[in-house]
Amino acid sequence: MHDNEVATDADLVRALLASQHPQWAGLPIERVASAGTDNAIYRLGDELAVRLPRIDWAFDNVAKEQRWLPVLAPHLPLPVPRPLATGAPEAAFPYPWGVVQWLPGELATSERFDDPIEAARDLGAFVRALQAVDSTGAPTPVRGLPVRNGDAMVRIGIEGLRGEVDADAVAEAWDRVLAAPDYDGQPVWFHGDLSYLNLLAHHGKLAAVIDWGTCGVGDPAIDCLPAWRLFPPAARAAYRDVLGVDDATWERARGWVLQGVYGIAYYRDTNPVLAGDLIRGIEALLAE
């Protein structure tokens, strides 16, 4: 998926476990099919998962999740993966890696919800609870900074489109984003990547929020993403209502959706599932 990506397989996972966490080395290991971009995921037995960073830019996410998920989890109304162990780099694998709790469910596509409006309200309540957690000392990654910082990336993405979405309409919508005021409130916690790829549905309801590598504090607009990338119009309105965001925040949120144009070209051939998700979100935004 990336240049300089580190290859992994079940044999590598078993060797790493045997070296550092031998109590789990005898469990069944199965690679999890995933459109995730930062980590390779392996199910370990029935209750565990191993996460191995694919690329150098993702390796510090292991430490972030280990540090902050135990802080956030007690305040949140839905389960998040509990970190259980960290693995150190060694000759066979160059990055820190982690063992986490396995959470049951399926990727939360809209059709897996019995009631998308209820799911939107549940996710909105989750985001509100996350925003209320004390942010002292929390990390401030790129996704917490002003969305306008992505201007050059969006322009490159627009030039690289091959008709997947209306390039002129994207440019016009992006110009409206640039006209919106930047966030000037207190930094709040965000997940940073609330696509269906990082949400689980179980028995028709939203069941868990996974993959916290992009979490941090900053502008809450980033966590409005599922309004377009997951929910149909009525559920989108319900999500906004629970979040209680103003027009400027909603416009900046559109900007985060539009930044997906860069990823369309990057992942067009290597990760068509993700590219398709980015396209659907932009199309939903442009159709409003």
Side-chain angles (χ1 to χ4, degrees):
M1 194 182 307
H2 311 290
D3 292 339
N4 302 318
E5 182 173 330
V6 176
T8 64
D9 57 25
D11 289 340
L12 171 65
V13 174
R14 194 172 303 282
L16 291 171
L17 290 169
S19 172
Q20 301 186 44
H21 299 291
Q23 71 273 27
W24 294 320
L27 292 175
I29 299 172
E30 180 182 2
R31 183 153 189 164
V32 178
S34 170
T37 61
D38 290 347
N39 297 282
I41 312 298
Y42 291 83
R43 188 167 186 179
L44 179 61
D46 293 330
E47 299 180 354
L48 306 173
V50 176
R51 288 160 54 82
L52 302 171
R54 293 175 177 269
I55 193 74
D56 55 2
W57 72 61
F59 77 86
D60 59 349
N61 292 344
V62 173
K64 184 199 292 188
E65 292 180 343
Q66 293 277 335
R67 167 68 178 87
W68 289 106
L69 279 178
V71 174
L72 297 173
H75 303 279
L76 302 176
L78 292 170
V80 300
R82 182 164 54 98
L84 299 175
T86 301
E90 55 181 73
F93 188 74
Y95 307 133
W97 51 280
V99 180
V100 300
Q101 174 191 19
W102 176 268
L103 295 173
E106 301 176 289
L107 295 183
T109 53
S110 184
E111 62 270 15
R112 287 186 170 137
F113 294 130
D114 291 342
D115 183 349
I117 292 177
E118 178 187 33
R121 290 172 177 157
D122 288 346
L123 184 58
F126 179 92
V127 171
R128 290 291 298 269
L130 175 61
Q131 292 172 354
V133 179
D134 181 10
S135 63
T136 302
T140 306
V142 170
R143 297 187 188 198
L145 301 177
V147 67
R148 68 177 65 252
N149 290 2
D151 183 55
M153 184 173 66
V154 170
R155 306 294 179 186
I156 292 171
I158 290 172
E159 292 299 318
L161 290 173
R162 296 178 183 169
E164 291 101 335
V165 294
D166 185 334
D168 291 338
V170 170
E172 292 173 6
W174 179 249
D175 286 340
R176 290 192 292 272
V177 170
L178 295 180
D182 291 339
Y183 180 64
D184 62 358
Q186 289 293 320
V188 297
W189 274 103
F190 58 81
H191 176 278
D193 193 12
L194 288 177
S195 74
Y196 82 93
L197 300 168
N198 295 326
L199 302 171
L200 298 182
H202 197 50
H203 299 311
K205 298 184 180 296
L206 184 65
V209 181
I210 62 175
D211 196 348
W212 287 75
T214 56
C215 75
V217 301
D219 183 354
I222 182 67
D223 276 350
C224 297
L225 272 172
W228 297 274
R229 288 180 59 181
L230 176 60
F231 295 127
R236 183 182 310 146
Y239 187 60
R240 180 177 182 178
D241 183 61
V242 172
L243 292 179
V245 301
D246 58 22
D247 289 344
T249 302
W250 202 242
E251 195 64 58
R252 293 194 304 275
R254 289 188 176 100
W256 286 109
V257 177
L258 294 170
Q259 283 200 20
V261 296
Y262 185 84
I264 292 170
Y266 188 90
Y267 294 113
R268 182 183 285 122
D269 299 320
T270 61
N271 193 335
V273 172
L274 177 56
D277 183 45
L278 298 173
I279 290 168
R280 285 189 297 273
I282 294 170
E283 287 179 336
L285 187 152
L286 296 179
E288 288 184 308

